[in-house]
Structure formats: C-alpha cells, structure tokens
Amino acid sequence: MKRYEKFADDIAELIRSGVLGPGQRVPSVRYASQTYGVSPSTVFQAYYLLERRGLIRARPRSGYFVNTHAPSPFSEPAVSAHVHESTEVDVSELVFSVLDSIKDPQTVPFGSAFPSPMLFPLQRLARSLASASREMDPRMVVTDMSPGNPQLRRQIALRYMVGGLMLPMEELLITNGALEALNLCLQAVTEPGDLVAIEAPAFYACLQVLERLKLKAVEIPVHPRDGIDLQALAQTLERYPIKACWCMTSFQNPMGATMPEAKKQALVELLRGHQVPLIEDDVYAELYYGQQAPKPAKAFDTEGLVMHCGSFAKSLAPGYRVGWVAAGRYAQKIERLKLMTSLCASMPAQAAIADYLQHGGYDRHLRKLRYALEEQQSAMLAAIGRYFPPQTRVSQPAGGYFLWLELPEQTDSLKLFQMALAQGISIAPGPIFSPTQRFRNCIRLNYGSPWDEAAEKAMETLGRIVRSF
C-alpha cells in the first residue's frame, strides 16, 4: 500500500467511526503534514482519493470537509426537563472555585471561559493602542464619556450593516465588556424579586448577575442543536409574570446550540406578544465555522424590545474590556444607568479597537481564528472518541469553542472536577450552569487553546477518570 493510501485509510476510519463528523473540516494540508510526518503532496493525494470515494469535499479557500451524509459516533446530549417553578440563585461559591482552578498557568484550561490569548493579534493591537492614544483629542475623555467613542460605534454599526441589519448609532452604547452591558440591560427592565426566563443550562455569569441583582430564575430547556425550547418558554410566559428573557441565540454557552433564523424570528414574536424584552447575549457571533454569520434575533426586532449585547473579548481583544449593547427602546435608560455606575469604558481601549477595525485587518484575523478553532474542535472530538466511555453524549456546535458532554449517569462532575484538578486539568462541571445545580453528570470543555501533546494527554487522563466512576 502506498503511503498516501495508508494515510487516506486512516482518515477514512476516523470518518467511518464518527470521530470526524458530517460537515466538519478535516485537518489542513499543512497541519496534517506536520502532525502525521508526511509530505504535503502525500496529504493532497490522500485527500483527492477521499474525494473520489465521496467521503470528503473541498470548499474554495476553506479546505476539505467531511460530506454531510457521513455518520457521527456521538449522540446529542439530552434536553433537560422543564422545571415549572422559579428559583432563587446561589451559585457564586461554586463558580469561584472553578474560576480559581484556571489561574495556575500549568493547569490545562479546559474549564476556562476564554480562548487562548495566543490566537489574538495582541502586538498589532498594541500598535493601534499607541497610535490611537497619541492622536486622541483630550476633549474626548469628557465629550464621549457615554455612549462611547464615535469611531468605534460607527465601526460596530458598519459590521451590523454588512450583516444586513441597519441600526442607528444612537442605539449603540459602549460598555466595560459584554457582562456590564448584560447587567445594565437587566437593571433597566427589572426590580429585585422579579422573574427572568433563562436557558437550562445557562452560562454561569448569567446566574451570578441574577444572584447579585436579587432576581429569580425560571429555567427553559435548551436543545443542543437549535437552542431554547419555545413551547416551554410560551408556557412559562403564560404562567409567570416574566420581566425579561436572557438568551444566547448563537453558539450558546455551554451547549453550543444555534437557533435557526426562523426560530429566532419566532422567539422575538413570542416575546413581543407578551411585551417581554429579550436580552440577547451574542458574544460568540463572529466565531462561526460556515460561510456566513448567523443573523441575530435583533434582526427581527420591530419594536425595540431586543437588547443585543456583544463584545470583542472572545474575538479580538481579551483584557481590553470593550463591549456594547444595541439597546433599542431602552437606549436612553441604559445610558443613564451607565453614567450612574461606571461612567464610561476605557477611552484608550475604545480608540485602539476603533483603529484596529479600520486599519488592522479584522476580517483576515477572524478567518484565521475560526479555522484554528474548528481544527481544535476536531482534535478534541477525536480525543473524546479515543478515551471516553462509548455512552458519552457530545454536542457538535458550528461555532464558538465549547463542547458540552453528557457522561454516563453514575458520573459526578463535581468529584470529577476535583479529581481532574489534582492531575492539573481544569474542567467546568455541569452544576455551575444551573440555579438548581442540575446537570450533575455533565461537563463543559473548552477547546480554545492550540492542540498540543499536553492537551492530548489531559484528555486521556480525563477519560480514564470518567471511566473510573
């Protein structure tokens, strides 16, 4: 057997066993050449052979992908039960213990909420920061305090426009990261004791915000592929005086679900019928793997009821703490709340990102970032297939950098967290994603760091621990 035929058979086995699932990118020619120790021409010959077999196909300027008819070995995680009651939130101690676990740089950061800083153009951003700081008009520190740097707001509005959504700049407010935007949105439409509809599972920062503001959560189940259960949400809206709905409509954290456009439109219409505002947490919007960005629910908003929150922390500038909200009818109220709390986001940071968006090649960076994340997802899925029990259920999102794993029923993810940490591996256990601390046998894994030998060994160790339960 020739070398390219052997390599093609190895890739074919990964596809047949489902380690490489339908629609997933196969390793790039360069990556495969370096990783498997074969020449680029050998990889090309192997991929041409796999194309002829109908297992993969090429996309122009994007690489090779598994054909959509290929089987996947992983079942989807189950949809959680709909709990028909409100819950006071008290998860912070548990969350803080997880956050503490990723501070040690020697720990494998599968439990982190961020991708690796090594994936971002930090040196180019630093040049933008130096340039923008030198040229910044000192009067801007006062005049642009809120709603924020006009050049940055203009660049954000342009990105909305390219995506087919025309927004007036008056609706945009720059914040200290998306988390402040989400906090301000909730404060604008709720009072302590009010009920908020949230996803189940939900990002733990959402739970902490509700806890701090003394709001009660009503959990709505999330499907691992297409998002929040609209029927369960409709029942909740009929039964309870819901004051707001907080939802991640694309690449939901932790499950990775993305609502189809028709479902996003139905979500907006359902909430409009009850005059309940939607707080759309869309911080992963730029991290899609396909050819086109998913539309936000904000695109279907006709009454200003959707507050769309975004950030550059996950796609460009971690640590700069620059986010925004397109606040609809609540823009003025949120701006005043911002002035009453933190006044403004960092002026130099805003100016730096505005400069980078205009001159730094943001879209070129995003293409590289998406490609890296998709390859890292494939590597983690392959490792799960090798090391974890066959009953493991895994989400397979089309963007972002998280996988949600439903492990065998006897697994206790809180014990798993402690056992893994003792081996230098951080994970995010399922209970931190629920105010009722459900999802005991689930974990979230972050594949946002370049895949290396340490990551592979960590997955082998983690799989061995899971099998010990």
Side-chain angles (χ1 to χ4, degrees):
M1 184 180 290
K2 294 180 180 178
R3 199 167 189 184
Y4 78 88
E5 293 174 326
K6 173 67 168 64
F7 180 67
D9 281 350
D10 289 343
I11 297 296
E13 180 56 31
L14 292 177
I15 295 171
R16 278 191 291 270
S17 66
V19 172
L20 288 173
Q24 283 189 297
R25 190 196 302 269
V26 299
S28 68
V29 173
R30 183 173 64 178
Y31 181 86
S33 175
Q34 293 173 346
T35 303
Y36 295 96
V38 297
S39 68
S41 63
T42 298
V43 179
F44 272 120
Q45 284 181 293
Y47 285 177
Y48 294 152
L49 179 58
L50 291 168
E51 274 192 295
R52 291 196 297 274
R53 293 180 184 176
L55 291 175
I56 67 173
R57 60 189 175 88
R59 292 183 191 169
R61 299 185 299 277
S62 298
Y64 289 87
F65 294 78
V66 178
N67 272 334
T68 53
H69 60 71
S72 169
F74 301 116
S75 298
E76 290 179 330
V79 180
S80 64
H82 186 198
V83 178
H84 293 276
E85 59 185 33
S86 62
T87 309
E88 291 190 5
V89 184
D90 183 14
V91 297
S92 284
E93 285 304 316
L94 188 55
V95 170
F96 289 142
S97 68
V98 174
L99 296 180
D100 285 342
S101 73
I102 60 175
K103 290 181 178 179
D104 184 348
Q106 301 305 313
T107 299
V108 179
F110 292 155
S112 173
F114 292 92
S116 169
M118 305 307 292
L119 297 175
F120 298 105
L122 299 182
Q123 289 186 339
R124 178 61 183 83
L125 269 171
R127 293 200 299 272
S128 285
L129 179 60
S131 173
S133 297
R134 282 194 305 269
E135 298 173 7
M136 190 168 59
D137 185 340
R139 290 171 295 185
M140 290 173 56
V141 175
V142 176
T143 59
D144 298 338
M145 189 173 292
S146 185
N149 182 296
Q151 295 300 327
L152 178 57
R153 291 164 62 226
R154 187 171 293 111
Q155 289 295 324
I156 293 171
L158 284 171
R159 295 196 72 79
Y160 276 115
M161 185 181 70
V162 169
L165 179 54
M166 300 297 293
L167 284 178
M169 276 185 58
E170 294 75 21
E171 193 177 331
L172 288 169
L173 174 75
I174 306 300
T175 59
N176 291 303
L179 190 56
E180 184 186 42
L182 295 158
N183 267 274
L184 293 171
C185 290
L186 268 180
Q187 290 176 64
V189 296
T190 63
E191 299 288 343
D194 282 346
L195 274 60
V196 178
I198 65 167
E199 296 160 316
F203 181 36
Y204 53 74
C206 164
L207 305 180
Q208 289 182 296
V209 173
L210 266 61
E211 182 178 342
R212 186 181 68 81
L213 297 178
K214 302 188 184 306
L215 299 167
K216 294 182 180 179
V218 181
E219 295 180 281
I220 311 297
V222 172
H223 188 280
R225 198 176 340 110
D226 61 13
I228 196 166
D229 185 332
L230 293 187
Q231 183 177 357
L233 178 60
Q235 293 172 358
T236 296
L237 292 169
E238 292 290 342
R239 185 169 182 172
Y240 293 108
I242 300 296
K243 296 299 183 182
C245 177
W246 179 328
C247 187
M248 283 187 175
T249 57
S250 295
F251 319 125
Q252 191 258 4
N253 180 358
M255 270 199 161
T258 296
M259 299 176 70
E261 284 188 11
K263 191 171 181 181
K264 289 176 181 175
Q265 184 172 8
L267 170 66
V268 172
E269 291 175 355
L270 172 62
L271 294 171
R272 179 178 56 81
H274 293 267
Q275 287 295 291
V276 171
L278 172 63
I279 301 169
E280 185 177 19
D281 184 352
D282 204 15
V283 295
Y284 308 104
E286 297 281 16
L287 305 183
Y288 57 92
Y289 301 158
Q291 298 299 304
Q292 192 170 3
K295 279 187 178 179
K298 181 70 176 174
F300 307 102
D301 182 24
T302 58
E303 296 189 6
L305 271 170
V306 179
M307 292 171 272
H308 184 259
C309 301
S311 170
F312 294 104
K314 311 299 192 298
S315 61
L316 176 63
Y320 278 54
R321 302 305 305 148
V322 175
W324 72 89
V325 55
R329 67 170 71 170
Y330 305 100
Q332 185 182 63
K333 187 170 185 179
I334 289 175
E335 182 177 350
R336 289 177 176 177
L337 284 168
K338 169 76 175 163
L339 287 167
M340 292 164 61
T341 51
S342 61
L343 292 179
C344 66
S346 165
M347 288 298 184
Q350 292 184 61
I353 293 179
D355 179 87
Y356 182 87
L357 293 181
Q358 190 168 4
H359 305 294
Y362 186 38
D363 286 302
R364 183 171 62 250
H365 154 69
L366 286 173
R367 285 192 294 271
K368 290 173 62 178
L369 177 60
R370 293 174 195 135
Y371 183 80
L373 292 176
E374 190 170 15
E375 284 213 327
Q376 288 158 204
Q377 185 196 81
S378 294
M380 181 170 275
L381 286 168
I384 292 169
R386 284 191 291 271
Y387 304 126
F388 280 62
Q391 313 96 295
T392 302
R393 293 170 173 258
V394 188
S395 65
Q396 295 185 54
Y401 48 90
F402 296 119
L403 294 179
W404 180 253
L405 280 66
E406 183 182 331
L407 303 172
E409 193 172 343
Q410 70 272 18
T411 309
D412 184 331
S413 63
L414 292 175
K415 288 183 180 177
L416 175 62
F417 165 73
Q418 295 294 344
M419 295 168 74
L421 193 58
Q423 299 295 319
I425 306 164
S426 170
I427 63 171
I432 70 172
F433 300 98
S434 167
T436 52
Q437 298 191 16
R438 293 190 286 167
F439 311 108
R440 196 85 178 183
N441 64 322
C442 297
I443 60 173
R444 187 198 70 185
L445 296 181
N446 178 330
Y447 56 85
S449 294
W451 202 257
D452 56 16
E453 186 179 354
E456 185 73 24
K457 287 183 177 178
M459 289 298 290
E460 182 178 9
T461 301
L462 200 54
R464 186 170 63 250
I465 298 172
V466 171
R467 289 175 181 272
S468 72
F469 279 89

